[in-house]
Amino acid sequence: MSAKDAPPPLPEPLPVAVADSHTHLDMQASTVDEALTKAGLVGVETVVQVGCDLKGSRWAAETAAQYENVHAAVALHPNEAPRIVLGDPDGWSRQGAREAGGDTALDDALAEIDRLAALDHVKAVGETGLDYFRTGPEGKEAQERSFRVHIEIAKRHGKALVIHDREAHEDVLRVLAEEGAPERTVFHCYSGDADMARICAERGYYMSFAGNVTFKNAQPLRDALAVAPLELVLVETDAPFLTPAPYRGRPNAPYLIPVTVRAMAAVRGIGEEAMATAIAENTARAFAY
């Protein structure tokens, strides 16, 4: 194993236990038990396992049913909706090449998300939203239709809504305003600037910061974190992606949350205990566990 593939070392434990508000255990090299054990050693005692497609959402729900400290979020990722409708001839996603299923196939998939969202241990509907980075103009209609249905599902079941927003800030905020956002709405891997953070704060949306807040080129994210109300701030790994500096490029996992929490505390000019305490309370409130 090269140094680049090697898991980073365990950070110093946090003084207060926190939650990883967004992780993908099914995409990580370790087993669920290994991931939770390592996380527990450093004070990360709860994780929200997030589904991106039907298979992943079913897995999230099953895993949350088995583990007391795992909560599930279920959804079709914004990039998944156009693949269902238009097909995926290149087989880019984890399912491989797929035929176009049209609107009917999307309706069927959304009905399954609705069924999963009703389960007690499923605490959120997400990650849903809009992604203009990977999906071209031809996929926008399917994305937005899927997003609107996810908002409705979250509200009907009284669950949190977890937003994936990539290069689509204005449209995401517009759709949320048009549909009426659920009472608890979380911007996962917050990617806006300070101005957008002020809009999210006015609307009571939670902002979850990932390891990229530590990257050298991420000053706009740090500016957003600096103005976000402390009671609306969460932390996440989005593991195995977005590993915090100085381990960028190596595999991420929930046990690396303390690295990001300490960076966030520094941005806010508060102690890590105060930062961790706020995050722990906010995450429990956002996901109602």
Side-chain angles (χ1 to χ4, degrees):
M1 188 186 286
S2 72
K4 194 159 171 44
D5 301 324
L10 280 175
E12 280 290 306
L14 288 167
V16 173
V18 299
D20 179 350
S21 80
H22 193 110
T23 196
H24 301 287
L25 294 170
D26 50 331
M27 301 182 197
Q28 296 165 38
S30 60
T31 65
V32 174
D33 286 310
E34 287 164 353
L36 296 177
T37 300
K38 269 182 102 166
L41 290 172
V42 296
V44 181
E45 292 186 354
T46 309
V47 303
V48 179
Q49 166 63 24
V50 180
C52 294
D53 51 35
L54 286 183
K55 188 179 170 190
S57 293
R58 289 187 194 110
W59 190 89
E62 285 162 14
T63 305
Q66 288 172 328
Y67 294 88
E68 202 178 341
N69 51 345
V70 177
H71 304 300
V74 298
L76 308 176
H77 189 284
N79 292 328
E80 176 69 1
R83 283 187 210 128
I84 292 172
V85 175
L86 305 171
D88 184 16
D90 304 327
W92 180 80
S93 77
R94 293 191 297 161
Q95 281 92 343
R98 278 185 281 176
E99 299 285 317
D103 285 342
T104 311
L106 182 57
D107 287 339
D108 291 346
L110 289 164
E112 173 73 350
I113 295 299
D114 188 12
R115 185 189 71 77
L116 292 168
L119 300 170
D120 282 348
H121 44 274
V122 173
K123 301 297 185 192
V125 173
E127 55 187 284
T128 180
L130 302 171
D131 186 324
Y132 297 164
F133 174 74
R134 206 163 251 132
T135 297
E138 72 289 345
K140 281 186 176 180
E141 189 186 341
Q143 275 197 3
E144 189 164 316
R145 186 162 88 81
S146 177
F147 183 23
R148 289 179 190 274
V149 175
H150 280 85
I151 294 171
E152 189 276 322
I153 291 170
K155 288 197 291 193
R156 189 156 35 80
H157 292 294
K159 303 291 167 98
L161 183 75
V162 176
I163 304 282
H164 171 102
D165 160 30
R166 191 164 187 188
E167 298 184 10
H169 304 323
E170 284 178 18
D171 282 351
V172 167
L173 291 170
R174 171 181 61 79
V175 172
L176 283 171
E178 286 170 5
E179 293 293 325
E183 195 181 325
R184 293 169 289 116
T185 295
V186 178
F187 273 75
H188 126 73
C189 187
Y190 181 83
S191 60
D193 58 10
D195 288 340
M196 181 169 153
R198 292 185 183 97
I199 295 169
C200 288
E202 276 168 28
R203 298 187 185 179
Y205 301 158
Y206 291 89
M207 290 161 266
S208 182
F209 290 85
N212 54 343
V213 76
T214 67
F215 296 174
K216 278 200 180 78
N217 62 352
Q219 193 54 45
L221 283 186
R222 290 187 283 277
D223 294 342
L225 173 58
V227 302
L230 190 58
E231 67 273 13
L232 292 176
V233 170
L234 310 179
V235 70
E236 66 175 85
T237 55
D238 198 21
F241 314 107
L242 298 176
T243 314
Y247 308 113
R248 188 177 182 178
R250 288 163 72 176
N252 200 4
Y255 77 88
L256 289 171
I257 279 281
V259 180
T260 305
V261 171
R262 291 187 172 107
M264 290 169 68
V267 169
R268 298 287 307 206
I270 60 177
E272 63 182 64
E273 187 168 347
M275 190 80 236
T277 300
I279 286 168
E281 290 170 358
N282 298 346
T283 318
R285 190 170 63 247
F287 291 94
Y289 59 79

